[in-house]
Every structure is written in C-alpha cells, then in structure tokens.
Amino acid sequence: MDDKEKIDDINKLIDSELINFTRELDNVKSLSELESIKTKYTGKKSFLTVTLRNIGSLPGQLRPIIGNKSNAARKKIEADILKKEQILKGVEYEKKLREENIDLSLPGRGIKAGKKNIISSVIEEIEEIFIGMGFEIAEGPEVETDYYNFEALNTPADHPARSLHDTFFVSDRVLLRTHTSPVQIRYMEKNKPPIFIIVPGKVYRRDYDVTHTPMFTQIEGLVVDKGINFGNLKWTIETFAYEIFGKKRKVRFRPHYFPFTEPSAEVDVSCNICGGKGCRSCSGSGWLEILGAGMVDPNLYKFVGYDPEEVSGFAFGMGIERICMLKYGIDDLRLFFENDLRFIDQF
Ligand code: PHE
C-alpha cells in the first residue's frame, strides 16, 4: 500500500465514522443517550482517539494529514454534541416546567367553618328561658364524692335507688357524678336562700345503646325560699315546657319517686308525632317523659344547715339529649356526639 492509498483508507474510515455519528446523534432524545454517544465517539476507545493516539506509528509525512483530518472530525463531533446538549437541556427544562406547573385558576377545596353542637345550643336556649324567670347559672365538679352524689341526697349506701344508677367509680368514695343533683347540696352549703339556680353539666352512667350513652348532659333546677309550694313547681315547669316545645303541647305530672324529693313527679309532654293519640315513638301512650321533679325532701336541709320549718323548695332535672330528640325528632342519640357537620348544619 502506498501513502496515497493509506490516506484514502483512513479518510474513508473517518468519513464513515462521521456519518455514523451524525445518524446516531439525530436519534438521540435524552441527555443520558447523548452521554453514551459522547463516550462512543470521543471516549478513550473511540476510533478517533485511538487513531490520534497511534499517529506516531505512521510515516512522518502522513502524520500531519491524518492528524488534521482526525482533529477536524473530532472538533465537529464535539461541537455537534454541545449543540445537541443545549437543545436537549432546553427541551427537558420545558418538560419539567410543564410537569411542575400549578394551575392557579383551579378553585380551592374550601374549609368548612365549624358550628356549635346542637346540645350546646339547646342548653343556651334553656338557660335563656330560666334566666328570664330570674334564675342564675351554677356549676359543679364531674368527678364527685359518694357523699354529694348519694349520701347527702338522702341516698345512703344501702338505699335500693343506688342500684338504678350504674355508677363509674374512680375509687371507693370517688365517682363520676351520675346526675347534676349533687350541685344542689354544694350550692346550698355555700349560699343562703332565696336560691333560684339551674345547673347544666355532663353526667356519667354505665349504659350504652341507641337511647343511652355513658356520658350525657343534664340541667338541674333548684329553688329554695320561704313559702315555696308545689304550685310554683308546676307553673315553672309548664312555662318552661311551653317555651321550649311550643304552646300546642300538653304537659302532665305523674307521681314518681326520687330519694331527694318528696312528693316527686315525672313530667311528660304530649307526643308531637301522633298528637297524643298514641304511636310507636310514645309507645302508644301519647306522652313523652321530659324530666323528673319534686319538692326538696326536708331531710336534705339538715345536711346543709337550713331550717326545714323556715324554708321549702323544689328541684327538677332533665336530660338535654332527650329534650333535643323530642324537639327535633332525632331518633339516634349517638348523632349528638359525632360532630358530623352534615348533621349539625341542619339546626
Ligand atoms: N337527678 C334525677 C335523675 O337524674 C332527676 C331529678 C332531679 C329528679 C331533681 C328530681 C329532682 O334522674
């Protein structure tokens, strides 16, 4: 092979290397593909690098010719790769921009405002009614002693009425109050008649089904003054019942028993579903029970140092969840405690 043939030979190889490179470069779609092409055509083992490295073994007069040709090819390849790299970077940047794009015109999800639980609203409504009659609001502890919850309410340890209260005990003499009545004693201990109070609060009993929850809400009422009689009790309760349920409802008193009142009564309102004829809601009786009441048993006054010859009074207690159910026709007690806005929003 003479020099001319040798040069032609290598030139052909360089040209076909360039053709291959250009074809492959055209197909490159990502920076990582570009990287492997770069290695293939400009890396240590690439044809051009090897040619340039071995140029010393060529006859002296061929070296500049082959060297120039190889260097020019290599420069072109590097320049093309750089150009492609800039194009790809631009494309990938735009793709990234598109993917991370936030549509500011999309409406937000919206945060619903909370609302007062229906129990709280009804407590406030009842408070308003009694405040209008001159009552004040008092409160007492939910963790109570046996003394206030039972003993001082005329319910000693062996009293049969105790078994009616499924009590949560904290310890031997400490419990979760089963009703708001202990506040009667606490208030009378610290205050002298005339007393006109109502006492809203949570109470606890070991009971759980559709009509009972272990925690529920009561409002207690207590009136003690000179010359208070059953007529005053009746007027107060009737006035309250008409205010909360409306004038169309009838109210009746039924004899009952509580250890701390004598005489005692349970109070019913006529059923709003059947209008008093009798239906499933009122178990066919036409009446729905709303509260317990009675004249304060004079025995209680001994515990608080009042003179039963001087003063008399009445007390009543009602379950708020029950009042809500009757007022709004709600049939599942558990709805009150779930705080589901779809339920609460209706009131
Ligand atoms: N404490 C009684 C109860 O929980 C209700 C009541 C209160 C009855 C006051 C009479 C007087 O059942």
Side-chain angles (χ1 to χ4, degrees):
M1 213 191 278
D2 64 13
D3 283 356
K4 174 114 175 44
E5 282 172 333
K6 203 156 201 164
I7 288 171
D8 279 351
D9 208 31
I10 295 180
N11 273 347
K12 261 188 220 148
L13 286 173
I14 292 174
D15 286 341
S16 76
E17 182 80 350
L18 273 177
I19 289 167
N20 287 342
F21 165 74
T22 308
R23 186 168 34 85
E24 284 189 43
L25 189 69
D26 274 350
N27 291 327
V28 161
K29 294 210 173 51
S30 70
L31 286 168
S32 65
E33 278 171 41
L34 186 67
E35 195 55 40
S36 53
I37 296 240
K38 192 176 174 181
T39 315
K40 184 170 171 189
Y41 289 95
T42 64
K44 272 188 210 146
K45 289 178 190 158
S46 67
F47 172 75
L48 286 173
T49 308
V50 172
T51 307
L52 282 166
R53 201 188 303 133
N54 295 334
I55 207 150
S57 62
L58 291 172
Q61 65 276 27
L62 295 187
R63 286 179 205 166
I65 301 167
I66 304 295
N68 281 341
K69 176 91 178 170
S70 304
N71 269 327
R74 201 190 154 94
K75 279 216 177 90
K76 178 178 164 38
I77 289 177
E78 281 171 353
D80 283 357
I81 286 176
L82 195 69
K83 223 192 276 167
K84 187 83 177 187
E85 185 179 321
Q86 267 150 8
I87 292 169
L88 284 176
K89 274 193 178 151
V91 169
E92 292 196 1
Y93 179 67
E94 265 173 31
K95 190 170 156 227
K96 207 170 162 207
L97 273 187
R98 231 180 300 119
E99 279 169 1
E100 291 174 2
N101 184 26
I102 297 169
D103 184 354
L104 293 174
S105 68
L106 271 181
R109 247 179 236 150
I111 300 166
K112 269 203 149 191
K115 220 178 161 183
K116 203 175 277 176
N117 190 289
I118 175 74
I119 300 293
S120 304
S121 310
V122 170
I123 289 178
E124 278 170 23
E125 195 182 334
I126 295 175
E127 285 176 355
E128 289 300 316
I129 295 171
F130 281 103
I131 287 169
M133 294 194 256
F135 283 67
E136 279 174 52
I137 295 164
E139 276 182 355
E142 289 170 29
V143 179
E144 206 25 298
T145 60
D146 184 283
Y147 175 78
Y148 287 106
N149 197 79
F150 291 122
E151 195 90 27
L153 287 167
N154 214 18
T155 321
D158 55 357
H159 198 286
R162 280 211 185 194
S163 61
L164 299 177
H165 298 247
D166 293 299
T167 311
F168 284 113
F169 281 95
V170 176
S171 67
D172 209 20
R173 315 290 300 166
V174 181
L175 44 81
L176 300 184
R177 67 179 177 192
T178 59
H179 50 180
T180 41
S181 301
V183 187
Q184 289 188 31
I185 304 296
R186 286 186 176 273
Y187 195 87
M188 286 194 283
E189 274 181 347
K190 293 213 171 74
N191 298 274
K192 293 264 158 277
I195 289 172
F196 288 81
I197 55 163
I198 57 161
V199 184
K202 295 185 175 80
V203 302
Y204 301 84
R205 289 181 201 177
R206 290 177 43 186
D207 230 342
Y208 193 42
D209 58 42
V210 201
T211 53
H212 296 91
T213 47
M215 185 280 291
F216 61 102
T217 321
Q218 281 191 334
I219 290 189
E220 189 84 6
L222 177 69
V223 170
V224 183
D225 202 355
K226 288 193 172 110
I228 298 291
N229 59 42
F230 203 92
N232 303 133
L233 164 62
K234 202 156 179 275
W235 179 85
T236 306
I237 299 298
E238 277 171 0
T239 305
F240 159 73
Y242 293 140
E243 286 277 343
I244 193 104
F245 293 115
K247 285 244 154 47
K248 288 204 183 100
R249 308 285 281 269
K250 289 196 211 78
V251 179
R252 79 170 181 189
F253 285 67
R254 255 183 308 110
H256 199 71
Y257 172 81
F258 296 105
F260 34 90
T261 46
E262 180 59 34
S264 303
E266 268 189 343
V267 180
D268 303 332
V269 292
S270 54
C271 179
N272 57 331
I273 293 170
C274 60
K277 284 187 197 77
C279 68
R280 239 186 52 188
S281 286
C282 56
S283 315
S285 71
W287 295 97
L288 298 160
E289 181 222 319
I290 56 160
L291 57 81
M295 300 306 291
V296 176
D297 191 311
N299 268 343
L300 267 60
Y301 297 136
K302 292 187 208 144
F303 287 96
V304 298
Y306 288 5
D307 179 358
E309 300 299 323
E310 277 268 312
V311 293
S312 58
F314 65 81
F316 56 89
M318 64 188 109
I320 302 309
E321 286 78 5
R322 198 177 157 74
I323 303 270
C324 282
M325 288 169 100
L326 300 180
K327 193 169 156 71
Y328 295 108
I330 298 157
D331 57 5
D332 189 342
L333 197 53
R334 286 168 292 203
L335 288 168
F336 292 125
F337 307 107
E338 283 164 1
N339 277 333
D340 187 331
L341 273 177
R342 289 169 301 179
F343 173 70
I344 297 176
D345 263 348
Q346 297 175 52
F347 304 99

